[in-house]
Amino acid sequence: MRISEAVIERLVANEIDTLFGIPGKQTLPLNEAISERTDIEFIMARHETAVSHQAWGYAESSGGLAATVVIPGPGDMNAMNGLKNAKNDCTPLVHMAVETDPDIRGGDGIHETPPNTYDNVVKENVTVETPQSTIAELQRAIDIALTPPKGPVRVGIPKNFLPMDASLADPAETDPHSPATPADDSVGDAAALLAVAERPIIVAGGGVRAADASSELVAVAERLGAPVFPTYKGKAVFPDDHDLFGGVLCGGTGTAVKEHIATADAALGVGTDFDAVSMHHWEIDVPDDLVHVTLDAADIGTGYDPAVGIVADAGRTLAALDTELAERSIAATGGRERARETRAAVDRRLADLRAVDESPITSVSALEAVRDGVPRDAVVTADAGGSRIWALVAFETYAPRDYVNPGSWATMGSSLPSAIGAKAANPDQPVVALVGDGGLMMCVHELHTLADEALDVTVVVFTNSDYAIISEDAERNYRMDEGEYGWQDVPLEFDAIASGMGLETMRAATPTEITETVAAAIDSDGPTLVEIPTDPYEPQASVWLND
């Protein structure tokens, strides 16, 4: 069997049914192998930056492994952005880069870059050194990607290996490591601390999603009666409409949420590293009686000094903790009331922005109207930028795999390609991408991919003709003019751009129109872009919610 055929066979054996990439002369043996099969498809992006974000959206929304392939050099380096995003988010990808021939490596061959260039953007960087080892190395890379904490693994395969018919070494028959189980003593210590707390809280991060542990999180929260505060990466691991939901920890976290956490007498942080973004550079007061559960030992003691540190899987720890708590008397009362009061305080702060119903409306008004038009079971992808921060506090989410949100890497232009990946992974669910016009212009080429692949995705673009989150800061803190980084004099015509790429286009300007138009776009067949004009001079979430 040719190596190219064996590579695709190995992907399929690992339940990979979609390969994201852009073909080049170096990758054509792999594309040929795919063209002769019916159990794997190739989705062709328009830029390599989108390739890795498509795979990220696939893996984030499915919980499974995603795969990519690019040409060496420029293709590989363009994909680095999404690989770093996946690394920060612990998202499992296997990224295949077709490498320069070993015989001319170091001779400045076309597209050549040293393989170690990519070491810091992936969990591990594997370079295949011999034709015979290709499949064994590929399987090793897949196992590493799936071993908790999961992450992207790059596999560099020399281009001259792919067409060879070689005797291939069999991969080792090993399974990815099982999730780490917490020590009984540490679970007991954590349960003892939390059971006697009168006002406990829970901070839940993206590790809960990675462990598929939302049901375990809900069980512990309900047993303790503890309000839950997901981090920005943990949004949707706990339903926003649960009566113990307290609010999201993010750049837009406001005074009410901070005060609630500051008055708690114990906290459980699970699946989070308590990073600087979530915790406002650790200015948010967290109780001294802190239980911190994370897979990375280096996270323990970063920002906060826990009373109990547990290096283990979020799901297994939550399940063990729930069992231990069931044997104890729980002191906490009134958690639901405190959570409701905190949500009400945030709601009151949003009221003035929500009340704007004439164009151009605020992001809060627009997002809440979009939510009313989107089915509860839809997969929604968010972009970085101002719209993302408002979405974290004003757009309700309900299920962990139904909301794809960039973590601390926070790269703009990820929402549309991640929606492509999410639709490939979830063909029977509605998929909606939320993006600002600044973010969309960083990946606008992928509208053509939507049309070419006939993917039924609804792209909702909030247009204010400004990098508003930057302009607001420039005016407030740096003596620059209002709208300093806007393009009000040359506004983009997204209906022309999108229709020129083969999409249906719609426009809505008021909340009622938005809800009806978004619902109609989702019900229509094929990809649709909905343009919603918003106020470029509206306040930003990080400022408004802290006044």
Side-chain angles (χ1 to χ4, degrees):
M1 178 182 288
R2 285 187 299 173
I3 290 177
S4 58
E5 295 170 346
V7 166
I8 301 305
E9 181 68 34
R10 179 54 46 178
L11 296 181
V12 172
N14 283 274
E15 301 182 348
I16 293 171
D17 59 9
T18 307
L19 184 61
F20 301 93
I22 294 181
K25 289 184 178 181
Q26 300 92 336
T27 72
L28 285 177
L30 293 172
N31 292 95
E32 179 187 33
I34 292 173
S35 71
E36 296 170 346
R37 305 182 66 114
T38 60
D39 50 4
I40 185 170
E41 66 172 323
F42 181 77
I43 290 184
M44 182 175 66
R46 297 299 179 270
H47 195 278
E48 289 92 350
T49 301
V51 168
S52 44
H53 281 129
Q54 288 172 359
W56 170 74
Y58 182 104
E60 285 275 294
S61 64
S62 68
L65 178 68
T68 58
V69 62
V70 295
I71 65 167
D76 213 1
M77 294 190 81
N78 282 332
M80 289 174 76
N81 186 10
L83 294 178
K84 173 62 174 172
N85 191 41
K87 183 183 181 185
N88 283 24
D89 290 355
C90 298
T91 304
L93 309 182
V94 57
H95 172 71
M96 296 187 298
V98 181
E99 282 278 2
T100 304
D101 293 0
D103 289 346
I104 61 173
R105 191 177 291 163
D108 199 22
I110 186 169
H111 297 330
E112 182 179 358
T113 52
N116 63 3
T117 301
Y118 311 96
D119 286 354
N120 294 321
V121 298
V122 290
K123 182 180 178 183
E124 189 154 336
N125 186 11
V126 177
T127 301
V128 178
E129 298 293 350
T130 66
Q132 294 82 0
S133 67
T134 303
I135 303 307
E137 290 284 61
L138 176 59
Q139 185 61 55
R140 182 169 72 89
I142 290 171
D143 290 344
I144 293 169
L146 291 171
T147 299
K150 301 174 184 178
V153 178
R154 178 183 179 273
V155 186
I157 305 175
K159 66 179 183 180
N160 60 317
F161 289 5
L162 292 174
M164 290 183 181
D165 189 350
S167 177
L168 299 169
D170 291 329
E173 294 187 5
T174 58
D175 292 325
H177 295 298
S178 298
T181 301
D184 292 341
D185 288 349
S186 61
V187 173
D189 291 343
L193 184 152
L194 294 168
V196 299
E198 296 180 352
R199 299 180 309 280
I201 62 163
I202 298 174
V203 175
V208 176
R209 177 183 290 105
D212 293 320
S214 285
S215 60
E216 290 87 346
L217 172 63
V218 171
V220 170
E222 291 179 344
R223 188 173 298 283
L224 281 173
V228 177
F229 298 87
T231 67
Y232 62 100
K233 190 57 196 176
K235 184 173 171 66
V237 301
F238 193 83
D240 283 24
D241 58 354
H242 193 287
D243 56 6
L244 283 169
F245 174 75
V248 176
L249 293 170
C250 63
T253 298
T255 303
V257 170
K258 293 176 184 176
E259 289 179 349
H260 187 139
I261 294 173
T263 58
D265 59 354
L268 166 63
V270 58
T272 177
D273 56 4
F274 286 111
D275 66 67
V277 177
S278 294
M279 309 310 294
H280 290 216
H281 296 93
W282 305 289
E283 292 178 357
I284 295 178
D285 291 330
V286 170
D288 291 337
D289 285 347
L290 169 65
V291 177
H292 188 186
V293 181
T294 176
L295 272 177
D296 189 343
D299 294 340
I300 303 291
T302 298
Y304 303 98
D305 184 15
V308 180
I310 300 175
V311 180
D313 175 72
R316 293 194 175 193
T317 304
L318 286 166
L321 186 57
D322 188 46
T323 299
E324 186 72 26
L325 288 169
E327 303 298 321
R328 297 173 183 268
S329 176
I330 304 300
T333 58
R336 286 170 172 80
E337 290 75 14
R338 289 192 297 277
R340 183 172 60 249
E341 290 169 1
T342 301
R343 294 195 306 271
V346 174
D347 192 61
R348 287 192 297 271
R349 188 63 186 138
L350 297 179
D352 288 345
L353 302 180
R354 180 185 300 115
V356 178
D357 58 5
E358 294 184 0
S359 185
I361 62 175
T362 64
S363 293
V364 170
S365 182
L367 284 161
E368 291 186 351
V370 170
R371 177 71 269 183
D372 288 343
V374 173
R376 184 181 178 92
D377 65 344
V379 179
V380 177
T381 67
D383 208 80
S387 65
R388 171 199 185 224
I389 300 176
W390 277 122
L392 287 167
V393 298
F395 188 89
E396 285 197 350
T397 56
Y398 313 110
R401 295 294 177 189
D402 289 350
Y403 191 70
V404 179
N405 173 59
S408 60
W409 190 236
T411 183
M412 292 178 68
S414 63
S415 175
L416 172 54
S418 67
I420 291 170
K423 189 63 179 180
N426 306 277
D428 297 327
Q429 283 182 265
V431 175
V432 177
L434 306 178
V435 61
D437 50 0
L440 182 56
M441 286 305 293
M442 296 183 184
C443 61
V444 69
H445 37 77
E446 295 312 304
L447 292 175
H448 196 223
T449 302
L450 272 185
D452 183 53
E453 297 287 342
L455 294 171
D456 189 5
V457 171
T458 299
V459 180
V460 178
V461 56
F462 305 102
T463 58
N464 58 16
S465 298
D466 201 332
Y467 288 124
I469 194 171
I470 307 303
S471 288
E472 187 274 340
D473 194 26
E475 179 192 5
R476 179 164 47 89
N477 292 320
Y478 296 95
R479 303 191 305 276
M480 298 186 196
D481 293 337
E482 184 179 58
E484 180 75 20
Y485 297 107
W487 50 92
Q488 305 287 340
D489 294 338
V490 284
L492 294 159
E493 295 183 7
F494 280 101
D495 56 346
I497 295 170
S499 62
M501 293 191 186
L503 277 74
E504 182 180 1
T505 63
M506 302 179 182
R507 194 174 189 275
T510 67
T512 299
E513 291 174 356
I514 291 167
T515 299
E516 294 173 351
T517 302
V518 168
I522 292 170
D523 287 342
S524 68
D525 292 330
T528 306
L529 180 138
V530 178
E531 181 178 355
I532 300 172
T534 58
D535 183 1
Y537 308 121
E538 69 176 347
Q540 294 303 310
S542 58
V543 178
W544 183 260
L545 288 165
N546 284 280
D547 283 347

